[in-house]
């Protein structure tokens, strides 16, 4: 049986307790990074050398260390379920993390000025994100009932993401925020 066929059967990847968003991410990673590499490799031929070469190939694609670790977690599910190789000697390569820089005060002021000139109602989401540090999905999921003008607070209790399935229309899906600590009052 081919390695990528085993992926389809993997209980770890198809875990019913995973959030839909997580399942979609796993499927994306499988389709983009795992299947193309392993599509012609029989599961019993997968050894430490192949796995280590695979991880190095991911690092050469300039993926972040966290993305490589997530892909490795998916691959390990298949390896363990098929009782293959000891995985202790395999090293997940560390990649150079890209530094995330916040806007400077000047850049923030320039953004505010551009938004004030246009006065488009949809730009309020940019300002909310700019001032409160919300994720895009959190801003898009806000409802009027989440805002209390008397206490000047905002409840972050849901997030929205796009769900795309082959041959179907893309849908907006609502779920709880990314983590438990993401549910908050600002």
């Amino acid at each position: 049986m081919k390695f990528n066929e085993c992926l389809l059967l993997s209980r770890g990847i198809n875990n019913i307790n995973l959030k839909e968003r997580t399942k979609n991410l796993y499927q994306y990673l499988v389709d983009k990074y795992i299947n193309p590499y392993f599509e012609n490799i029989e599961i019993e031929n997968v050894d430490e050398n192949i796995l280590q070469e695979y991880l190095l190939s991911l690092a050469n694609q300039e993926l972040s260390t966290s993305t490589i670790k997530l892909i490795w977690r998916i691959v390990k599910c298949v390896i363990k379920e098929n009782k293959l190789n000891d995985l202790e000697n395999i090293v997940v390569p560390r990649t150079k993390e890209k530094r995330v820089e916040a806007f400077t005060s000047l850049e923030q002021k320039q953004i505010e000025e551009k938004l004030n000139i246009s006065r488009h109602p949809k730009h309020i989401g940019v300002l909310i994100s700019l001032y409160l540090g919300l994720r895009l999905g959190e801003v898009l999921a806000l409802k009027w009932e989440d805002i209390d003008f008397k206490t000047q607070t905002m409840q972050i209790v849901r997030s929205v993401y796009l769900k795309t399935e082959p041959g179907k229309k893309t849908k907006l899906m609502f779920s709880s925020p990314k983590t438990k600590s993401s549910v908050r009052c600002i």
Side-chain angles (χ1 to χ4, degrees):
M1 180 181 284
K2 301 261 189 253
F3 185 90
N4 59 344
E5 292 169 340
C6 294
L7 271 168
L8 293 171
L9 305 173
S10 173
R11 290 184 308 278
I13 299 166
N14 300 307
N15 185 335
I16 57 172
N17 295 325
L18 294 175
K19 279 185 161 185
E20 189 69 30
R21 174 187 276 167
T22 303
K23 287 181 185 179
N24 289 341
L25 172 61
Y26 282 11
Q27 190 59 55
Y28 169 78
L29 294 173
V30 165
D31 293 343
K32 180 146 176 100
Y33 297 107
I34 301 174
N35 277 343
Y37 191 90
F38 290 101
E39 68 184 341
N40 295 318
I41 300 176
E42 295 289 331
I43 188 76
E44 59 271 3
N45 294 336
V46 175
D47 61 13
E48 275 188 18
N49 291 331
I50 288 174
L51 294 170
Q52 192 65 65
E53 284 176 26
Y54 172 63
L55 291 174
L56 290 172
S57 77
L58 294 175
N60 290 334
Q61 293 178 54
E62 297 186 9
L63 297 175
S64 70
T65 301
S66 60
T67 300
I68 294 171
K69 285 181 178 179
L70 183 54
I71 293 169
W72 178 234
R73 188 180 313 149
I74 296 168
V75 171
K76 277 197 315 191
C77 284
V78 175
I79 300 294
K80 287 181 178 179
E81 285 176 11
N82 288 280
K83 297 176 178 53
L84 298 175
N85 310 318
D86 183 21
L87 304 173
E88 289 180 22
N89 296 326
I90 296 175
V91 178
V92 177
R94 292 197 163 276
T95 58
K96 185 176 179 182
E97 297 297 323
K98 296 171 190 147
R99 188 167 177 230
V100 178
E101 292 185 29
F103 292 124
T104 65
S105 297
L106 177 62
E107 291 169 328
Q108 185 169 337
K109 189 172 182 90
Q110 290 171 338
I111 292 169
E112 292 169 17
E113 287 171 2
K114 294 276 188 198
L115 296 176
N116 282 331
I117 290 169
S118 73
R119 294 223 180 254
H120 195 284
K122 291 182 180 178
H123 292 164
I124 189 72
V126 176
L127 288 173
I128 289 172
S129 182
L130 188 63
Y131 284 111
L132 302 178
L134 272 60
R135 295 178 180 93
L136 178 61
E138 294 170 339
V139 172
L140 295 173
L142 284 173
K143 295 182 179 184
W144 284 110
E145 64 201 46
D146 299 330
I147 303 168
D148 186 337
F149 291 101
K150 290 179 186 170
T151 61
Q152 297 183 357
T153 59
M154 183 181 295
Q155 300 292 323
I156 308 303
V157 294
R158 75 188 73 71
S159 186
V160 68
Y161 65 96
L162 294 175
K163 180 179 182 181
T164 55
E165 292 180 12
K168 294 185 180 180
K169 282 189 170 185
T170 300
K171 296 191 290 186
L172 286 177
M173 303 297 291
F174 290 86
S175 69
S176 58
K178 188 174 180 179
T179 64
K180 287 181 183 178
S181 61
S182 296
V183 176
R184 61 203 185 277
C185 177
I186 299 172

